Amino acid sequence: MQKYYLGVDLGTGSAKAVAIDADGNTLATAQDHYNFLQPQPGYAEQDPELIWQAFLSCLQQIDDKLKETPAAISFSSAMHSIMAVDINGKPLVNAMLWSDARSGAIAEELRAGEHAQELYKHTGTAIYAMSPLCKIMWLKQHEPDIFAKTHKFISIKEYIWFKLFGVYEVDQSIASSTGMFDIIDLKWYAPALQIAGINTGKLSTPVETTYSRKLTNNTSIKGLSSETLIFTGASDGCCANLGGNAINAGVGALTIGTSGAVRVGSDRPIYNFKAMTFNYLLKANTFICGGAVNNGGGAVNWLLQNFLKNDLNEENYKGFFNQVESIAPGSEGLLFLPYLYAERTPVWDAKSSASFINISAKHQQAHFLRAGLEGICFALNDVLNAVEQGGGLVNELVISGGFIASPVWVQMLADITGKRLLILQSDDSSAIGAIYLAMETMGIAIEAIMQKETGTRTVISPNLEIHARYKQIFVVYQGLYGTIKESVHHLHSIATL
């Protein structure tokens, strides 16, 4: 059996493994799903043991298919999770996920404080409820007994790593998304730890994303051997850029799933404090910079379920996009702010909400659907604009996610951004990017593999006439929320009485 290399992505809803050979050919894949918990509004938790079992399941599935252990395995992982564990590595609470919003008030106060800009500059992480820094502060305030008993605060990937090796180590990529790691000096940032009320002893030892270990001879895990090099890898967003060959200047990556994100590679951080774009480490001297939005495919699903009263199935999606296509770009002046589930970059307001603006008697159902889709694209263009303002100019975007199945949505995105789009067909870019990190470290040339993948992509070019019209609408879009924000907050406070 030829050598193969395994990338494992530890996501919010599943663990996925992709096995490739030295030429980049996919040999096998495996996936195991798990649920997350919402015990009360604003909470998003996960039992870390489910992730461990899903990881083991993926290893076994690949081993059953290929009948051989991998030469190397490397991890990609969702960011911003945090859990408290005792001295034996046993979780004291479930992991708090990126979408957990309970520390929103703490983040808002911290973001408005005098040290916010320095904190952002050093850590490169937006000051928001998703940040592990804010989550630890919440535990200190609201769960003091748990806080006092905590031996370490770790992420879901660190939990897997501890289960494998019995040591607390964290790759610099995951560390750079905690709000507590200095992305320039590559060590825990003392002022952030002071704010959290902890010291370095409460956190794992940072290591490079190319760092590896091997299992000891007395550790038996099906699908791994004592000869398998096991790499820490990086975060899912950073790995996705590498896996999609979107790390060079001028090339960005844009993903729309339930939420959405825009990311560009850079040899330096790209700061924008007002928009709080992120700056995460992929590897030495390579940053992945950008921003995320809360409302992508989730907003489309809302329109289908709550606006059209339709089930989420292929036929209804097709009908939705057919109606969208029947309306001219610009939706005859109807505009949608898509903040149904609040918003991150560049709004950063947990109390933000969605709005249809400029409704008139001429607007029919299809206008609202098209305006809804345009609003999602405007929100992503807002992130792209914030990144470019910081100096990360983008000429083309590698796009991925479920939305690429809709030609009208893809063309709309090209027309609104004015960028050339390259469609990445694979949903495995995070796992593949993780294994690229390992292969490169092992001396395997990955450039040819990446160029081969790029050559097979579909190219979508913007309609420049329509783009000029959208540019005018985008100016209006950017100013809208600031105009109505105070009223939105007032209504929010009335509704919660």
Side-chain angles (χ1 to χ4, degrees):
M1 178 68 187
Q2 62 180 313
K3 281 187 178 181
Y4 73 91
Y5 309 86
L6 193 64
V8 177
D9 180 42
L10 305 172
T12 303
S14 71
K16 186 167 189 179
V18 179
I20 65 175
D21 63 19
D23 295 320
N25 300 307
T26 299
L27 304 177
T29 64
Q31 191 167 17
D32 196 291
H33 294 270
Y34 36 75
N35 296 320
F36 69 91
L37 307 170
Q38 293 180 293
Q40 55 182 290
Y43 285 44
E45 301 178 351
Q46 207 149 50
D47 178 356
E49 185 62 23
L50 294 179
I51 304 173
W52 170 249
Q53 293 301 325
F55 165 64
L56 295 180
S57 173
C58 287
L59 291 179
Q60 182 167 335
Q61 290 178 57
I62 296 294
D63 188 64
D64 289 344
K65 291 175 182 178
L66 300 181
K67 311 298 183 184
E68 184 68 47
T69 56
I73 177 175
S74 183
F75 289 101
S76 158
S77 175
M79 292 176 278
H80 311 302
S81 64
I82 199 77
M83 75 184 88
V85 298
D86 65 17
I87 196 166
N88 297 313
K90 181 180 178 180
L92 298 171
V93 291
N94 284 327
M96 298 165 70
L97 301 178
W98 70 268
S99 52
D100 192 290
R102 72 186 80 172
S103 63
I106 291 171
E108 191 173 337
E109 183 178 352
L110 189 59
R111 192 165 60 247
E114 61 178 320
H115 303 298
Q117 291 201 38
E118 278 298 301
L119 187 62
Y120 169 68
K121 180 181 177 182
H122 280 272
T123 68
T125 303
I127 305 170
Y128 193 60
M130 67 181 187
S131 169
L133 165 64
C134 298
K135 293 183 173 84
I136 291 174
M137 293 172 68
W138 186 92
L139 285 170
K140 183 181 180 182
Q141 291 183 21
H142 297 275
E143 298 285 355
D145 290 343
I146 296 294
F147 184 87
K149 294 175 184 176
T150 301
H151 176 62
K152 296 280 185 181
F153 291 102
I154 62 173
S155 69
I156 57 174
K157 190 202 283 191
E158 291 161 78
Y159 180 74
I160 302 299
W161 196 259
F162 180 80
K163 297 275 278 187
L164 288 170
F165 303 112
V167 295
Y168 291 105
E169 293 167 330
V170 59
D171 63 85
Q172 292 171 351
S173 185
I174 288 294
S176 70
S177 69
T178 62
M180 298 179 288
F181 187 73
D182 193 315
I183 60 175
I184 303 301
D185 290 341
L186 303 182
K187 62 183 181 181
W188 295 116
Y189 182 51
L193 303 194
Q194 186 175 5
I195 290 170
I198 61 175
N199 56 41
T200 55
K202 294 291 184 181
L203 300 171
S204 298
T205 301
V207 296
E208 294 184 352
T209 58
T210 55
Y211 175 82
S212 66
R213 283 183 175 271
K214 290 183 178 181
L215 295 176
T216 59
N217 288 327
N218 59 356
T219 302
S220 178
I221 294 178
K222 184 173 175 57
L224 296 177
S225 75
S226 59
E227 295 304 309
T228 302
L229 278 172
I230 304 176
F231 291 81
T232 54
S235 65
D236 54 359
C238 290
C239 287
N241 270 60
L242 180 59
N245 197 10
I247 59 172
N248 296 321
V251 181
L254 187 150
T255 304
I256 305 178
T258 302
S259 56
V262 178
R263 305 178 302 268
V264 301
S266 176
D267 60 0
R268 60 176 180 80
I270 300 173
Y271 293 114
N272 185 328
F273 176 71
K274 184 178 179 181
M276 282 206 174
T277 50
F278 58 65
N279 295 277
Y280 303 140
L281 279 160
L282 170 62
K283 55 183 179 178
N285 302 314
T286 303
F287 295 86
I288 301 300
C289 313
V293 300
N294 286 351
N295 302 278
V300 172
N301 290 347
W302 176 86
L303 287 165
L304 267 171
Q305 291 180 301
N306 297 70
F307 201 84
L308 296 181
K309 299 297 182 182
N310 283 340
D311 294 329
L312 302 179
N313 58 51
E314 187 175 347
E315 182 180 351
N316 288 334
Y317 278 117
K318 184 178 179 181
F320 174 94
F321 290 115
N322 284 341
Q323 287 199 65
V324 167
E325 199 165 14
S326 72
I327 302 299
S331 303
E332 293 195 71
L334 185 62
L335 190 56
F336 181 57
L337 293 180
Y339 311 149
L340 287 161
Y341 306 102
E343 192 52 291
R344 284 183 280 173
T345 318
V347 174
W348 297 113
D349 185 1
K351 296 177 183 176
S352 59
S353 57
S355 304
F356 281 103
I357 309 294
N358 200 35
I359 304 170
S360 73
K362 66 185 175 184
H363 292 127
Q364 305 298 313
Q365 186 180 78
H367 289 89
F368 286 88
L369 302 184
R370 177 154 194 125
L373 214 56
E374 288 174 338
I376 297 167
C377 293
F378 282 134
L380 287 160
N381 195 45
D382 213 5
V383 177
L384 179 61
N385 185 69
V387 172
E388 291 192 311
Q389 283 179 348
L393 298 178
V394 174
N395 300 314
E396 59 185 27
L397 290 165
V398 177
I399 61 172
S400 61
F403 89 107
I404 65 173
S406 168
V408 64
W409 195 351
V410 171
Q411 187 62 55
M412 182 187 295
L413 181 67
D415 294 341
I416 286 176
T417 61
K419 306 299 183 185
R420 181 172 175 260
L421 307 183
L422 305 177
I423 297 181
L424 178 63
Q425 299 289 353
S426 173
D427 289 330
D428 303 331
S429 57
S430 291
I432 290 172
I435 204 58
Y436 281 172
L437 275 173
M439 292 171 74
E440 189 174 39
T441 305
M442 296 170 72
I444 300 169
I446 62 172
E447 291 80 6
I449 300 173
M450 296 169 72
Q451 288 304 317
K452 181 178 68 174
E453 292 293 326
T454 300
T456 63
R457 291 173 180 164
T458 303
V459 179
I460 307 295
S461 298
N463 181 311
L464 297 182
E465 183 179 344
I466 295 175
H467 174 61
R469 185 188 312 172
Y470 274 135
K471 279 182 70 175
Q472 296 179 63
I473 301 171
F474 181 62
V475 172
V476 179
Y477 173 91
Q478 283 191 299
L480 264 179
Y481 187 67
T483 303
I484 66 173
K485 180 177 179 179
E486 185 176 344
S487 297
V488 169
H489 281 205
H490 192 195
L491 289 169
H492 179 84
S493 63
I494 293 171
T496 53
L497 288 176

